[in-house]
Amino acid sequence: MKKAAAAAAIRHVPDGCVVGVGSGSTSNFFIAELGAIQHRIRGAVASSEATARRLKNLGIAVLDLNSVEELPVYVDGADEVTRQLAMIKGGGGALTREKIVAAVARRFVCIADQFKLVDVLGKFPLPVEVVPMARAYVSRELVRLGGSPEMRKDFTTDNGNVILDVHKLSIRAPAELEGALNQIVGVVTNGLFARRAADVLLLGTERGVQTFER
Ligand code: 5RP
């Protein structure tokens, strides 16, 4: 189902463009598909070091986001996604770079299997990237917001920070919570993608790929 969703995303990649590429197992299927049509694109912007390595291994040019004027499309997976196309991301810890690339992209195409579709976000623990010296303070603030944060063990992000995975949140107003979390000093990014939600969801299901659009 992940592979089918990834394959369907290729028709959202315009000829001659630079494409933003996400991280995780679904994105890895997309990278493989991109390898097959690499003659049609100028190159890619990667949302993680791991994705950059995979792209380079296939011979796809990896460009610095700062050198790119236009990013027509960003393709990435999600840990949870609603029918309104708000998402939880960051299960792989790449949320900050993913959010930056998503912000620049004109269109966000989310690729996922049917198990990622939810009515209410929050069963999947919400990743929050935190500057290491602020870990204890941010944890206390997250508890005040009703969450139960757990430090991700033996993990450092590509940006040198730690991740707190926040359990027990039932997120009925994702855009508001995303904003509130961003206000906590020491938080670099949180894994809610509601203010910049996806534009298209390609959902791999038992009955084929379903498309949801905003
Ligand atoms: C990584 C992410 C991924 O998109 C998310 O974790 C989904 O992963 P997968 O495609 O392996 O299910 O946000 O930071």
Side-chain angles (χ1 to χ4, degrees):
M1 291 178 216
K2 288 181 176 186
K3 196 172 175 197
I10 288 293
R11 68 183 165 78
H12 292 265
V13 177
D15 281 354
C17 80
V18 176
V19 51
V21 183
S23 304
S25 58
T26 319
S27 291
N28 289 345
F29 284 122
F30 176 69
I31 294 169
E33 297 286 339
L34 211 52
I37 60 124
Q38 59 178 286
H39 54 281
R40 282 187 23 211
I41 58 168
R42 264 181 55 213
V45 169
S47 63
S48 65
E49 298 295 338
T51 287
R53 277 194 298 277
R54 267 179 191 267
L55 290 163
K56 284 179 191 162
N57 284 344
L58 288 176
I60 298 171
V62 176
L63 307 174
D64 180 343
L65 182 61
N66 293 305
S67 71
V68 170
E69 273 177 27
E70 270 219 314
L71 201 58
V73 66
Y74 176 54
V75 179
D76 196 0
D79 298 302
E80 286 184 347
V81 57
T82 66
R83 284 177 181 76
Q84 292 72 42
L85 307 195
M87 297 165 282
I88 285 183
K89 291 185 45 54
L95 60 159
T96 297
R97 296 190 188 192
E98 290 173 345
K99 208 174 248 196
I100 293 168
V101 183
V104 175
R106 209 158 48 231
R107 231 163 127 74
F108 187 140
V109 177
C110 177
I111 50 178
D113 64 36
Q114 63 183 31
F115 307 108
K116 304 290 182 69
L117 188 66
V118 298
D119 291 325
V120 179
L121 297 170
K123 199 164 178 199
F124 188 93
L126 177 67
V128 178
E129 180 165 349
V130 177
V131 173
M133 75 170 287
R135 175 180 47 83
Y137 167 71
V138 172
S139 292
R140 289 193 293 273
E141 292 299 302
L142 291 169
V143 169
R144 277 154 57 105
L145 286 172
S148 178
E150 187 183 18
M151 164 110 164
R152 199 175 291 186
K153 290 203 177 61
D154 302 322
F155 188 85
T156 304
T157 69
D158 285 347
N159 315 304
N161 298 311
V162 296
I163 300 265
L164 296 173
D165 290 305
V166 191
H167 300 253
K168 295 191 179 149
L169 291 172
S170 175
I171 305 169
R172 291 184 185 276
E176 283 79 353
L177 183 61
E178 182 179 359
L181 293 173
N182 286 342
Q183 294 309 311
I184 302 174
V185 175
V187 168
V188 178
T189 328
N190 70 81
L192 278 171
F193 284 58
R195 295 181 165 216
R196 201 291 176 246
D199 299 295
V200 183
L201 166 63
L202 301 173
L203 193 72
T205 76
E206 283 151 1
R207 286 169 283 114
V209 178
Q210 288 178 14
T211 303
F212 298 75
E213 264 181 89
R214 273 206 291 151

